[in-house]
């Protein structure tokens, strides 16, 4: 079993439905969520400054914070 044989979020073995992000990492649909607020991602998303999945709302908040600093 290789590292590509596991879901990224929960680390379970790849079986069943999955979502693949733009980096090629695979998740259970229920595990594909924002790293900041845990909102389940069902549409557009991006990555935060640490490379974690971020919903659009959290990404906008981070940009606002960065601009204020």
């Amino acid at each position: 079993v290789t590292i590509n044989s596991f879901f990224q979020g929960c680390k379970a073995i790849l079986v069943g439905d999955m979502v693949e992000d733009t980096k090629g990492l695979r998740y259970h649909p229920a595990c594909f969520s924002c790293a900041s607020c845990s909102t389940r991602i069902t549409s557009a998303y991006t990555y935060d400054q640490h490379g974690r999945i971020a919903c659009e709302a959290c990404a906008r908040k981070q940009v606002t914070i960065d601009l204020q600093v």
Side-chain angles (χ1 to χ4, degrees):
V1 179
T2 67
I3 193 160
N4 292 332
S5 301
F6 296 95
F7 284 109
Q8 185 64 25
C10 64
K11 308 298 185 215
I13 294 175
L14 287 172
V15 177
D17 293 338
M18 67 181 78
V19 175
E20 188 169 325
D21 72 2
T22 58
K23 294 180 180 180
L25 301 174
R26 298 177 183 123
Y27 300 81
H28 284 116
C31 296
F32 193 58
S33 59
C34 177
S36 295
C37 70
S38 300
T39 297
R40 192 166 159 210
I41 304 293
T42 58
S43 60
Y45 66 93
T46 189
Y47 296 92
D48 67 13
Q49 68 270 29
H50 304 290
R52 301 174 305 184
I53 293 173
C55 67
E56 290 183 317
C58 287
R60 278 193 300 275
K61 286 178 197 171
Q62 186 60 49
V63 168
T64 302
I65 291 168
D66 289 346
L67 292 175
Q68 291 175 355
V69 174

